[in-house]
Amino acid sequence: ATLPVRPASAATDEELAYANFAVSGELLLVDLYAKALDAKVATGPAQAALRNGRRAAVQHAAALSGLLTGAGQDAPTAQDFDFQWPEKAFATPAAIASTGRIVLRTMLGVYQTAAVAVSEPSYRILYASLAASAGQQLGVLTALAASVVVEPFPVALDLESASGTLESYLG
């Protein structure tokens, strides 16, 4: 299923900036989930959760890329990046969860801000949906790490702060 998003031909620079960052972050998540699956340290339901996270990130990147191409922009692709991960990021389920939570908290924060910052109602719906999905993925990764961390009020982030957090991963 896809969300109805109006053509982006009239998108503002700010809306395009959020979409560009979001595509990049979702591509980073696709890579994270792929590497986590390749590491084969998670089994059973945890492996299924990683596959579901990867599937969601692929769908998110496609929806956001469509927003950009609809505005006549080139959407980022995985080939535009040299994703960098800490040496032991995929050594254990807890390490995978810890690394994934950094990326997902950042994406959630940006999606929260985008949901209120963009002017187009269909984009707001898209970003609210993306935030909900990021929250679900955070919950799954928290369970993967056997942690009980719950953030009652996740922090909304501006693009500059979010970029600073993910810059080292994007290569």
Side-chain angles (χ1 to χ4, degrees):
T2 60
L3 291 170
V5 177
R6 76 160 171 86
S9 58
T12 66
D13 288 344
E14 182 179 41
E15 290 166 340
L16 295 173
Y18 278 110
N20 268 297
F21 180 84
V23 171
S24 302
E26 292 295 344
L27 293 171
L28 181 65
L29 283 169
V30 170
D31 190 69
L32 177 132
Y33 286 123
K35 285 191 173 27
L37 288 163
D38 289 346
K40 298 183 185 335
V41 296
T43 59
Q47 192 174 50
L50 294 171
R51 279 193 304 274
N52 289 336
R54 181 181 59 190
R55 188 176 309 111
V58 166
Q59 291 174 358
H60 297 167
L64 291 156
S65 292
L67 189 152
L68 290 168
T69 58
Q73 303 278 312
D74 290 330
T77 66
Q79 291 73 32
D80 295 328
F81 301 98
D82 179 23
F83 298 123
Q84 303 290 316
W85 298 105
E87 184 178 331
K88 300 199 183 238
F90 305 102
T92 65
I96 291 167
S98 178
T99 304
R101 287 189 301 215
I102 292 167
V103 178
L104 283 164
R105 280 188 184 121
T106 302
M107 298 306 296
L108 174 58
V110 166
Y111 292 149
Q112 288 174 280
T113 301
V116 297
V118 299
S119 60
E120 169 57 36
S122 65
Y123 297 176
R124 288 181 182 167
I125 293 168
L126 174 63
Y127 286 116
S129 296
L130 292 167
S133 181
Q136 290 172 336
Q137 292 175 63
L138 274 166
V140 168
L141 288 182
T142 298
L144 180 67
S147 174
V148 293
V149 174
V150 175
E151 293 180 73
F153 298 101
V155 176
L157 296 173
D158 59 51
L159 283 173
E160 187 175 335
S161 298
S163 293
T165 301
L166 297 187
E167 184 176 27
S168 66
Y169 296 110
L170 293 170

